Amino acid sequence: NGWYHMTGTFSLDDTYESAQRVLLRFWQPTALDYIIDDVSIVSEKTEVPSTMPSQFPSPLPVPTYSPLPTPDLSNLALLKPAEQSSINHDSGPEKAVDGNTDGIWSNGSVMHTFGGNNFWVVNLLSPSYISVIKVYNRLDFGQEYLNNFELEILNEKQEILHSEVFNGNKPTVVEFSLRPIVIGQYVRIRSETILMLAEVEVYGWVPPSAEIPSTSPTGIPTKAGFCFSGGTQVFVENTGPVLMKNLKVGDRILTGNNKFQSIYSFGHRDEGSIAEFLQFLPSGLEISKDHMVFVERRGAIPASLVIVGDQLVGGSTVSEIRSIYRRGVYAPFTISGTLVVNGVTCSSYVALQESSRLRIGKWESPFSLHWMSHAYLTPHRIWFSWVSEKERVNDNGLSVWSESSFRAAQWLLKQDPLRILCLVTPLLLVLFLFVSLEMLISGSIALNGIPLLLFGFYAVRFVSRETNRSKTKARQHQYKQ
């Protein structure tokens, strides 16, 4: 994604007495890599007064650097409790989580086992979002022992959620990028040969303390949000993984098929609201029950219809579904109406029916609720993408436009089937004009115009059939009289 250059000067307001050696360590607690090509140290001999001054001199200016937002990731394994199958040469498991990646044995930071069927495991102490894992090998001897090993991520019950096998040739550092991310508490490395690891780094984040436990909080009002939780993760162009709560209008996020699109609005954004979410494991996706998510062979469906065993598009097979409560609700809108959250392709919209397709009475139309919602919000996209970026929100953080559209759609779907079609038909004609305008701008009119024409055909056919059926019933009633 390009190079980011940083230059500047740090001032260390510390005094060291009779220092003979100085060790400088530059530590970047994320999954990003930095190259440091020039460092100089300037020191000054000084007489330390018997009484230290109450204030130190003002530090030098902060270094200037090109903007690079830092992903909300940290090394979760650092100084955490660890275990291993056996200990050789007094080199225990704690040496692989001491923050020192030095692979030289004599420097005392390499763990060592012996025998066969070896393992090393670290306990992160709580379920955590895991994005990247780095395994540092011993460098001065026996690098081939790490040629073949298995990485496992386990939940709090020590059940395996994710596993990967590495096969290589004398690796120095092995990096695992988890897409989608995995929620786990233990990270384990298994090998049939001895293990000699300099360090294991587990990058990710722990759900914020402000989040609510998995049970409904007593005495605290909750909302049935139509959103994602703030702890879920989105990939931002030229930045990397960013928490949902840190997104802003204008961010270009991954929307699927390796394409990035800008967030043009938030349908809902309220950092203080407490809402119920469904949590899908092992991806860690946290989504409200009415929000739509894409499932293999089922299309975009409400999250409430997802079952264990479903394959999420872009993600993994659902192994467990939990009901949790979180503080903060977020619903970013993109031009395509999709976004990738925790590696899973999701819709920007909610479903107003318990189905994947629009139902009118007993008739199931061939049109998905995702597509209908996308067409319904076409005027909204055009206005806030090309006319104005300022959007009104109510006290609950809901977009006024989105809320009014949502309530209108709710009212419409409560009517009888014939009335729904009579009202939807002129609405579709208006939307067709807006959709055509949007497609002309984006150059995709040939692809997206077909669904509207099909819907019009089925709508007219349904209205005609219902009208004839009503006339037949009227004649039968008149004949009986």
Side-chain angles (χ1 to χ4, degrees), residues 339-382:
L339 66 162
V340 176
V341 183
N342 281 38
V344 178
T345 303
C346 302
S347 171
S348 295
Y349 314 119
V350 298
L352 298 181
Q353 297 176 322
E354 286 288 318
S355 65
S356 61
R357 299 182 182 276
L358 176 65
R359 291 180 178 272
I360 302 178
K362 297 181 179 180
W363 178 60
E364 183 180 80
S365 76
F367 309 103
S368 71
L369 291 174
H370 168 76
W371 183 87
M372 290 297 300
S373 299
H374 194 61
Y376 193 67
L377 287 177
T378 302
H380 182 256
R381 282 194 306 279
I382 292 176

Side-chain angles (χ1 to χ4, degrees), residues 34 67 87 139 160 211 254 260 330 374 477:
Y34 283 83
I87 298 178
L139 300 180
I160 298 176
E211 294 182 351
L254 187 64
F260 291 87
Y330 306 85
H374 194 61
H477 181 71

Side-chain angles (χ1 to χ4, degrees), residues 32 39 211 237 327 332 336 355 400 428 464 473:
L32 302 176
V39 176
E211 294 182 351
E237 190 176 32
R327 186 185 302 278
S336 65
S355 65
V400 173
L428 280 176
S464 176
K473 289 183 178 179

Side-chain angles (χ1 to χ4, degrees), residues 9 28 49 76 116 118-119 142-143 148 161 175 181 217 228 261 378:
T9 303
Q28 172 61 28
L76 304 177
N118 293 269
F119 72 84
Q143 285 183 276
N148 303 282
L161 302 175
E175 179 174 326
I181 62 173
F228 303 96
Q261 292 182 337
T378 302

Side-chain angles (χ1 to χ4, degrees), residues 452-466:
L452 274 177
L453 295 176
L454 287 175
F455 183 85
F457 170 76
Y458 277 98
V460 171
R461 181 181 176 184
F462 183 80
V463 170
S464 176
R465 186 175 61 187
E466 290 296 321

Side-chain angles (χ1 to χ4, degrees), residues 103-105 112 137-145 194 196:
I104 305 302
W105 174 263
H112 198 311
N137 197 5
R138 177 177 176 176
L139 300 180
D140 56 351
F141 173 79
Q143 285 183 276
E144 65 275 6
Y145 285 119
I194 63 174
M196 294 184 292

